[in-house]
Amino acid sequence: MEKIGIKEIALRANVSTATVSYVLNGTRNVRPKTKERVLKVIEELNYRPNDIAKSLKSKRTNTIGVIAEDVTVFNVPEIIDGINEYAEKNDMHILLTNLRLQKRVGYDYANTDHYQKHAQDAVSNLLSKQVEGIIYIGIHPRDLTGLINTYNKPIVYTYCYAQNECSIQYNDEQASYDAIEYLVSKGHSRIAIISGLMDSIPSRLRFNGYYKALTEFQLPFDPQFIKVGDWGLNSGYHLAAELLKLQEPPTAILIMNDLMAAGALRAASEQGMVVPTDLSIVGFDNREFSAYLSPGITTMDLPLHDMGILAMKALYNRISGTNEKTEETPLCKLIERESVAGPRAALK
Amino acid sequence: MEKIGIKEIALRANVSTATVSYVLNGTRNVRPKTKERVLKVIEELNYRPNDIAKSLKSKRTNTIGVIAEDVTVFNVPEIIDGINEYAEKNDMHILLTNLRLQKRVGYDYANTDHYQKHAQDAVSNLLSKQVEGIIYIGIHPRDLTGLINTYNKPIVYTYCYAQNECSIQYNDEQASYDAIEYLVSKGHSRIAIISGLMDSIPSRLRFNGYYKALTEFQLPFDPQFIKVGDWGLNSGYHLAAELLKLQEPPTAILIMNDLMAAGALRAASEQGMVVPTDLSIVGFDNREFSAYLSPGITTMDLPLHDMGILAMKALYNRISGTNEKTEETPLCKLIERESVAGPRAALK
DNA sequence: AGAATAATGTGAAACGTTTAAAAAGGGTGA
DNA sequence: TCACCCTTTTTAAACGTTTCACATTATTCT
């Protein structure tokens, strides 16, 4: 099977390569008769245009790079799916680079320089492949302040806050606020919070939302009700236990991820408290397991798919020079399950 | 910022483009002095070679296509991660295509033709982009019998059984056998099985393993102990309930996925039976939630990462013409958690 | 019918590399 | 110093497209 190209087609259809190109791309009118002739040969030889050559000449690859810090982390695939959805609609392709940060042995997260090299290398490779833009998916929300040099190609970040750069993020503060509003609507007034590590921007934003809601609903702000966890199940377990041991324990806890919420569930059950009767819990993330625990965790669902779509949209706009900066901020959505009820006091 | 190419470099370093190419690729000796000179200019201008042009001439893209039926399905990202790991080591890049089968509305799984078009289109697109090979990741194990025309480029399938094609799969039969062996070692002899849909090859293979183990350990084969589910939680729930209502119920159940196992857990607890004291359960998949349920489900972990690695390895060998057909079959691994104990009868 | 215009077709250069083959340069030994 | 050989460098063609500028053919109008 010899390689066939546009030349061969032209030869057999008795036209010039230019004409073949025109029928292929509809770039110019070509007489129906000739068009048909060309098409027939193309069909017969089962010809497929070579996008590489096309790209070389036209300087468009229709390809973007997606850099994921780790594809196996729960929120990443859904984002990629969103990116893919929008990309597909605009005939864009995705060159996927997986940094595999979680799996590199001896990898130090605190060390920015450390991963900086990986990231920059990834960008360089993609650039060599002439991607038209890049989407960077951070895993743990973190603050990377415009570290990466893309040599004038557009880049949009998602899931991580990137200062001075286009970055698609859901509204953390709002989500937290909404959760509290929901708890208040259920009658709660003694609402504690278990936060994630405070060096993460989302933690701080969500805390803001909590605080804002508290003051807005004129609820007392009790320093004892503020706990800072490390995102892990055990930390949720211990901190919830502490909260429950207070002389006047909270009737509800907002917990910044479902993993810690699962820990809290365990702590409650060990102390003989039943959720939601004795204690209400709202988590974050809407992890798969949250639905299968009993009680199922009521939680804030992250708009991951939308983030993917919006990230791709933003990138696409930049690529096409459409300067409509429509950086929307998608919202989290409360998923009601069984871990929230009215406060016990209210029932009595 | 004007586009700079090898020509510009050559000009400034006062050499020919050929020489620049040689220092870039180490294809030929070049005098240290000139080499240094070239390198310096490259450095100064921050030049990056254009892989598109490179590919056009060299006919190698160092890129493979990965087609996933749906990236958001739990097992896919880990496979991709494995692919990525091996690819990265061999300087291969990944063009990701997501069929999004689960999300297409009105999509009919039973209709092969229906998705056949999607798949073939995806392949065609990748081929146009001159990928050197393709990895196809099916989601639900199914049998696609060499449907896709790759026009002589190598393709390897994984997670789905593809007849007459290179396909990387873990050993389903062995996994099932091992699970039974484990239960037997714990003292069980009345072991039931809840299978997935029987039109899936893995279901049948796992059933074989079950049957083989039973006869090998000289345990009675009781038709009442055979239940066929549909992979969903509810089906596990109902079938387990049926099993438990038998006059002589099993002391252990092997369940072909963790979702159904979670259902079984629920059924057991509703009937006042405690797992594992009254009933032992072994699942399949090692889903994340399996660890967070109580009791945690003892389950067969799927070697997804290895499958990715092996798939990429197999593909790479085909691409490089290394004709060592090392199609290995990775094995599942039992993850011991709390859902298995000795049978109650044995304790008495 | 003939001129003017519109529609269609062609030739060839260009895109940024690689790589034969040929040329130039540098050492070596006589 | 010269002839020889080995190393380094260059020239130029190719890879498979697109697209500009031009040439040809068809159509319309008077």
Side-chain angles (χ1 to χ4, degrees), chain B residues 25-290:
Chain B
N25 304 299
T27 331
R28 212 133 108 178
N29 264 348
V30 25
R31 194 142 38 98
K33 219 170 167 178
T34 21
K35 184 172 188 171
E36 200 186 339
R37 191 148 36 98
V38 171
L39 251 21
K40 187 155 151 267
V41 179
I42 286 177
E43 173 77 7
E44 278 172 11
L45 299 196
N46 211 318
Y47 163 79
R48 307 217 106 264
N50 179 332
D51 281 353
I52 294 291
K54 206 162 169 160
S55 293
L56 178 58
K57 178 63 194 176
S58 68
K59 293 170 172 302
R60 291 221 50 194
T61 53
N62 283 349
T63 303
I64 64 144
V66 170
I67 301 178
E69 290 189 0
D70 197 319
V71 291
T72 63
V73 168
F74 82 99
N75 43 28
V76 174
E78 193 65 55
I79 296 178
I80 293 181
D81 192 64
I83 293 172
N84 183 81
E85 180 178 334
Y86 196 91
E88 184 184 299
K89 283 188 187 137
N90 294 280
D91 193 32
M92 283 277 156
H93 294 248
I94 294 173
L95 213 33
L96 180 69
T97 300
N98 185 14
L99 261 24
R100 312 189 69 241
L101 256 38
Q102 307 258 64
K103 300 205 177 166
R104 309 234 177 235
V105 285
Y107 188 85
D108 178 8
Y109 269 95
N111 185 344
T112 300
D113 295 346
H114 206 157
Y115 102 116
Q116 177 67 6
K117 172 156 167 43
H118 279 306
Q120 187 61 61
D121 280 0
V123 169
S124 286
N125 281 329
L126 290 173
L127 256 23
S128 283
K129 289 226 170 291
Q130 310 297 115
V131 296
E132 305 189 17
I134 290 175
I135 294 179
Y136 186 96
I137 309 175
I139 30 172
H140 288 123
R142 70 156 113 191
D143 184 12
L144 30 87
T145 357
L147 295 165
I148 296 173
N149 188 355
T150 62
Y151 303 100
N152 286 334
K153 296 271 184 192
I155 184 169
V156 356
Y157 294 82
T158 187
Y159 209 79
C160 47
Y161 284 85
Q163 230 176 26
N164 302 327
E165 301 273 355
C166 173
S167 143
I168 304 290
Q169 250 296 1
Y170 52 84
N171 193 327
D172 270 304
E173 187 171 325
Q174 183 72 44
S176 186
Y177 180 95
D178 289 349
I180 300 300
E181 181 176 40
Y182 173 73
L183 286 171
V184 169
S185 81
K186 290 286 183 180
H188 292 276
S189 58
R190 304 183 51 78
I191 306 173
I193 187 165
I194 296 180
S195 136
L197 289 168
M198 269 307 176
D199 59 0
S200 107
I201 296 188
S203 287
R204 302 205 290 271
L205 291 174
R206 289 175 190 177
F207 185 80
N208 289 352
Y210 167 76
Y211 188 79
K212 192 171 155 209
L214 247 46
T215 57
E216 208 155 293
F217 296 117
Q218 297 175 320
L219 298 180
F221 174 79
D222 185 342
Q224 290 188 301
F225 282 1
I226 315 298
K227 298 287 181 186
V228 176
D230 66 4
W231 302 114
L233 190 139
N234 282 333
S235 114
Y237 172 82
H238 288 116
L239 296 174
E242 286 180 22
L243 284 170
L244 293 175
K245 275 184 208 127
L246 255 29
Q247 318 86 302
E248 293 218 55
T251 60
I253 315 179
L254 175 59
I255 306 182
M256 287 198 196
N257 75 3
D258 284 353
L259 215 46
M260 295 194 291
L265 232 44
R266 199 167 290 180
S269 104
E270 281 186 14
Q271 304 210 6
M273 309 196 75
V274 1
V275 176
T277 325
D278 302 314
L279 176 71
S280 288
I281 285 177
V282 174
F284 255 93
D285 288 354
N286 189 21
R287 296 289 280 273
E288 186 187 39
F289 64 80
S290 306

Side-chain angles (χ1 to χ4, degrees), chain A residues 16 19 28-31 34 57 59:
Chain A
S16 71
T19 305
R28 211 139 105 178
N29 265 347
V30 25
R31 193 143 38 99
T34 22
K57 178 63 193 172
K59 291 171 173 301

Side-chain angles (χ1 to χ4, degrees), chain A residues 81-95:
Chain A
D81 192 63
I83 293 173
N84 182 81
E85 181 178 335
Y86 195 92
E88 184 184 299
K89 281 186 188 140
N90 293 280
D91 193 32
M92 284 275 155
H93 293 248
I94 294 172
L95 214 33

Side-chain angles (χ1 to χ4, degrees), chain A residues 64 82-83 86-87 90 132-135 153-158 165-169 306-330:
Chain A
I64 63 143
I83 293 173
Y86 195 92
N90 293 280
E132 304 189 19
I134 290 174
I135 295 180
K153 296 272 183 191
I155 183 168
V156 356
Y157 294 82
T158 187
E165 301 274 356
C166 173
S167 143
I168 304 290
Q169 250 295 359
D306 288 345
M307 285 166 66
I309 291 184
L310 291 174
M312 185 63 217
K313 189 176 173 187
L315 187 64
Y316 190 70
N317 284 342
R318 277 169 173 63
I319 290 173
S320 348
T322 318
N323 269 352
E324 32 161 334
K325 301 234 170 173
T326 50
E327 260 88 284
E328 305 159 52
T329 305

Side-chain angles (χ1 to χ4, degrees), chain A residues 211-251:
Chain A
Y211 188 80
K212 191 171 156 208
L214 248 45
T215 57
E216 210 154 292
F217 296 116
Q218 298 177 319
L219 297 180
F221 175 81
D222 185 343
Q224 290 187 301
F225 281 1
I226 316 299
K227 297 288 182 187
V228 176
D230 65 4
W231 303 114
L233 189 141
N234 282 334
S235 115
Y237 172 81
H238 289 116
L239 295 174
E242 287 179 22
L243 285 170
L244 293 174
K245 275 183 207 129
L246 255 30
Q247 320 85 300
E248 294 218 55
T251 62

